[in-house]
Amino acid sequence: QVQLVESGDGSAQAGGSHKLSCAVSGSDERFCLLGWFRQAPGKEREAVASIMPGNPSTFYRDSVKGRFTISYDSANNTLYLQMSNLTIDDTAIYYCAVDRKCRGEYNYWGQGTQVTVSS
């Protein structure tokens, strides 16, 4: 049973930084794609960033480019999202997820962790 457990729930000041972690366990499979999503109140869930552990390929939505960095520690099976220069619009519940075969379908999801940015 694959499990994704996020940590890093908390608050930050606008302009500040915050880091999220996602521990992946329950499988020895080498997943093709891992990503971070977020959902703000009253809004649809949106993709934030993704990474293919097998190569340096990453994706960022335009609004976070240059501010967020996604990384994956394969030795510890942990996905990270380093966020900097935060804005109030970054306030959301953040989810990590796994797309096993890069088929455009995320198969496993974490429970979500709240990030609140205040001015």
Side-chain angles (χ1 to χ4, degrees):
Q1 181 81 11
V2 176
Q3 287 190 314
L4 284 69
V5 179
E6 297 105 338
S7 58
D9 185 307
S11 301
Q13 293 287 321
S17 299
H18 198 72
K19 188 172 185 177
L20 301 179
S21 302
C22 173
V24 183
S25 63
S27 174
D28 293 329
E29 182 177 356
R30 299 185 69 175
F31 299 123
C32 182
L33 185 70
L34 296 95
W36 286 98
F37 293 76
R38 68 186 180 186
Q39 187 166 20
K43 295 186 178 180
E44 294 186 355
R45 185 174 62 195
E46 61 186 21
V48 175
S50 61
I51 186 168
M52 298 179 72
N55 66 56
S57 177
T58 57
F59 156 83
Y60 296 95
R61 70 179 302 104
D62 286 346
S63 62
V64 308
K65 283 181 181 177
R67 301 190 299 119
F68 289 12
T69 302
I70 188 171
S71 61
Y72 183 69
D73 180 348
S74 58
N76 294 304
N77 296 323
T78 303
L79 180 70
Y80 298 99
L81 185 67
Q82 176 68 52
M83 304 182 287
S84 61
N85 197 17
L86 287 162
T87 73
I88 293 176
D89 290 340
D90 294 319
T91 295
I93 299 174
Y94 284 73
Y95 301 88
C96 59
V98 166
D99 179 344
R100 294 176 57 211
K101 306 291 186 184
C102 286
R103 291 176 178 169
E105 177 183 354
Y106 281 84
N107 312 99
Y108 306 109
W109 292 83
Q111 80 284 359
T113 188
Q114 176 72 47
V115 175
T116 302
V117 182
S118 58
S119 59

